Amino acid sequence: MQKILDAIQADELDAIGSLPVPEHYRGMTVHADEVGMFEGLASRDKDPRKSLHLDEVATPELGPGEALVAVMASAINYNTVWTSIFEPVSTFKFLERYGRMSPLSKRHDLPYHVVGSDLAGVVLRTGPGVHNWKPGDEVVAHCLNVELEGPDGHNDTMLDTEQRIWGFETNFGGLAEVALVKSNQLMPKPAHLTWEEAASPGLVNSTAYRQLVSQNGAGMKQGDVVLIWGASGGLGSYATQFALNGGAIPVCIVSNQEKAEICRKMGAELIIDRSAEGYKFWKDENTQDPREWQRFGKKIRELTGGEDPDIVFEHPGRETFGASVYVTRKGGTIVTCASTSGYMHQYDNRYLWMNLKRIVGSHFANYRESWEANRLIAKGLIHPTLSKTYALEDTGQAALDVHRNAHQGKVGVLCLAPEEGLGVRDHELRAKHIDAINRFRGV
Ligand SMILES: NC(=O)c1ccc[n+]([C@@H]2O[C@H](COP(=O)([O-])OP(=O)(O)OC[C@H]3O[C@@H](n4cnc5c(N)ncnc54)[C@H](OP(=O)(O)O)[C@@H]3O)[C@@H](O)[C@H]2O)c1
């Protein structure tokens, strides 16, 4: 592994293909024999530091259409929090199911799960049938894993019947020194970013792009008022940028003044601190309070000069969904990709049908959408929102930060990269955008 790292750092990328691939590598895992370790605890008290382990694992055999990548840096996504607390189900169930599909997919069904759905690194080897990528290429990977053997996914690969999220529903993820991906997950690494910056937008950037911008999601247009929950968080920090970059008007919802300040730094002007306003959309576990929806809607109108949101960018789920449906403009769209606070949503359907609103489900992104989202990063039109970077062995703490909502934007992880700040090729483009790139740093 050291020889590979030395070659990358010495910029001898042509040599990578002739260096032996190590038989083992270090990766962050959860263990199948520990899935019951948090039984009886509230979600909040389940500690990823206890369930995530840094193990030496065997390098998987390379199959057709695949690539092995030397991972320089990765990032924490909420799916790693879900895996590490074994909620809502253990991800070993996904690996077992995938393993039943074919002898190749059987490689993924192991008593350990190497997690992580983002990476920036260098291609080590490609399998048979891969022509667009070669050893030594500097890449990032999106996390859509598809088989595409059936007809369903051929208009939109997210609709493939065998669609999975790499590093969550498959093994050999990115929080490791080596990762196994399909070659159609690879995209060029943005040249003006460090390894850890380049690794951080991936999953959330692509997801927010499909959810908000793509015709498969809300199809945002200029002038749209876009209500964004968690506007400085993983998804929200990209949704806010897409809204501003696309000529829309974001209304950013955050939970404290620091986060409000970050939104202002991104260029947003309309911001609501949900903690300061003290919204209580639920009177008790089963009853919502429509007066609180109204109070929220009034506040939005105060900021927008009387307009309601054309689009609500939803992911908190149960706690906010009733309010989201209520405040959306007549004919507007609630686009949802998650249910962090609970997936059994409740809303008053009268406001939906009488006002011709639409609820659109959105999940990750297809290769084309991921490519377009990555292109915006590479051109310096959208910027990484990296706030902090941890060493690979401290991934548990990094995941705890995200679990506790104690982070800003994205939390990075150094894998093979020995320190932050490496991997930049286009210094001119970097200099042009350096303030925007560092906006979330140390907040
Ligand atoms: N389907 C997909 O493809 C996909 C992709 C990415 C993520 N997700 C899911 O989307 C969710 C968010 O991911 P993320 O990366 O953006 O996480 P994140 O970085 O933790 O950001 C989420 C933000 O939402 C806000 N929030 C959390 N709970 C809330 C609540 N009860 N009410 C109102 N706001 C709340 C918080 O912001 P404030 O405290 O500032 O309000 C938080 O920072 C997760 O459940 C994740 O699994 C799904």
Side-chain angles (χ1 to χ4, degrees):
M1 197 67 79
Q2 190 57 46
K3 283 191 179 151
I4 290 170
L5 182 58
D6 289 346
I8 295 171
Q9 292 201 263
D11 205 8
E12 290 165 359
L13 297 178
D14 290 344
I16 298 281
S18 52
L19 293 174
V21 173
E23 287 177 11
H24 294 88
Y25 64 90
R26 295 188 317 152
M28 290 307 303
T29 65
V30 289
H31 295 175
D33 60 5
E34 290 185 349
V35 295
M37 71 191 293
F38 297 134
E39 254 163 43
L41 291 180
S43 290
R44 201 190 146 68
D45 299 326
K46 298 178 183 175
D47 187 342
R49 292 174 304 184
K50 296 191 176 143
S51 53
L52 285 168
H53 306 281
L54 184 58
D55 288 340
E56 195 77 22
V57 298
T59 306
E61 197 189 315
L62 187 61
E66 294 180 342
L68 282 170
V69 181
V71 184
M72 297 301 279
S74 182
I76 301 296
N77 285 295
Y78 217 94
N79 67 7
T80 291
V81 175
W82 295 125
T83 304
S84 68
I85 63 173
F86 309 105
E87 283 192 23
V89 290
S90 149
T91 47
F92 287 99
K93 289 199 192 319
F94 303 142
L95 303 186
E96 269 170 48
R97 199 175 309 141
Y98 190 29
R100 287 198 290 271
M101 197 185 76
S102 73
L104 266 180
S105 67
K106 182 77 189 145
R107 290 169 303 167
H108 292 257
D109 183 13
L110 294 167
Y112 58 85
H113 185 181
V114 186
V115 296
S117 300
D118 274 320
L119 70 72
V122 176
V123 175
L124 286 179
R125 288 290 187 279
T126 54
V130 177
H131 309 296
N132 285 357
W133 304 96
K134 60 179 191 318
D137 284 345
E138 294 182 330
V139 292
V140 291
H142 71 77
C143 64
L144 173 62
N145 176 297
V146 282
E147 309 298 325
L148 284 178
E149 284 195 284
D152 303 69
H154 282 264
N155 280 345
D156 173 10
T157 44
M158 279 305 297
L159 298 182
D160 187 33
T161 47
E162 298 294 339
Q163 176 271 316
R164 292 178 172 82
I165 298 297
W166 159 70
F168 180 59
E169 293 162 295
T170 79
N171 217 322
F172 316 119
L175 285 160
E177 293 172 335
V178 172
L180 179 74
V181 296
K182 303 232 186 209
S183 67
N184 59 15
Q185 288 176 244
L186 296 174
M187 308 189 288
K189 171 191 167 286
H192 65 303
L193 299 181
T194 64
W195 294 112
E196 62 281 3
E197 289 161 359
S200 67
L203 183 149
V204 283
N205 185 40
S206 304
T207 305
Y209 184 81
R210 179 182 175 109
Q211 189 176 351
L212 189 57
V213 181
S214 167
Q215 291 303 320
N216 289 317
M220 183 194 83
K221 62 181 188 325
Q222 50 185 319
D224 279 351
V225 173
V226 183
L227 183 86
I228 301 169
W229 289 105
S232 73
L235 288 169
S237 56
Y238 292 92
T240 301
Q241 293 188 70
F242 288 135
L244 290 165
N245 194 48
I249 303 160
V251 179
C252 295
I253 315 298
V254 292
S255 62
N256 61 43
Q257 280 309 306
E258 276 176 354
K259 293 182 176 191
E261 188 50 34
I262 290 184
C263 291
R264 259 178 230 115
K265 281 198 202 160
M266 283 191 282
E269 291 173 0
L270 313 183
I271 299 164
I272 298 177
D273 178 343
R274 65 182 172 100
S275 306
E277 297 291 334
Y279 298 117
K280 273 195 80 185
F281 299 131
W282 291 81
K283 285 189 213 162
D284 58 50
E285 245 177 58
N286 301 309
T287 325
Q288 296 205 55
D289 186 349
R291 278 173 314 178
E292 284 293 271
W293 301 345
Q294 286 161 12
R295 187 162 76 86
F296 182 49
K298 201 166 156 228
K299 180 76 193 171
I300 296 166
R301 284 183 180 175
E302 255 173 58
L303 295 179
T304 60
E307 294 185 326
D308 296 327
D310 296 277
I311 299 169
V312 175
F313 185 85
E314 246 293 338
H315 51 89
R318 183 172 171 82
E319 212 162 300
T320 56
F321 206 81
S324 293
V325 170
Y326 176 79
V327 299
T328 302
R329 175 198 184 125
K330 191 165 183 156
T333 304
I334 303 100
V335 62
T336 173
C337 78
S339 292
T340 314
S341 66
Y343 49 81
M344 295 301 278
H345 295 184
Q346 203 186 76
Y347 62 89
D348 187 333
N349 201 33
R350 291 170 298 179
Y351 293 110
L352 190 88
W353 99 68
M354 292 297 287
N355 294 299
L356 303 110
K357 305 180 188 186
R358 299 185 306 150
I359 294 172
V360 174
S362 191
H363 185 40
F364 189 59
N366 61 37
Y367 192 8
R368 178 74 202 168
E369 289 160 340
S370 298
W371 189 281
E372 287 172 3
N374 185 55
R375 176 173 169 270
L376 290 169
I377 301 272
K379 287 193 167 299
L381 290 165
I382 299 291
H383 303 287
T385 61
L386 188 68
S387 58
K388 193 171 179 182
T389 304
Y390 283 91
L392 185 58
E393 50 270 33
D394 298 325
T395 299
Q397 181 61 49
L400 183 68
D401 285 3
V402 175
H403 184 29
R404 293 268 161 90
N405 196 14
H407 67 300
Q408 315 282 357
K410 292 296 297 178
V411 177
V413 173
L414 294 180
C415 298
L416 281 171
E419 61 195 69
E420 293 184 45
L422 306 174
V424 177
R425 293 208 170 265
D426 185 342
H427 293 276
E428 204 180 316
L429 187 61
R430 183 176 182 79
K432 196 168 154 197
H433 297 296
I434 193 67
D435 291 344
I437 292 168
N438 285 332
R439 213 148 36 192
F440 281 65
R441 284 287 184 165
V443 187

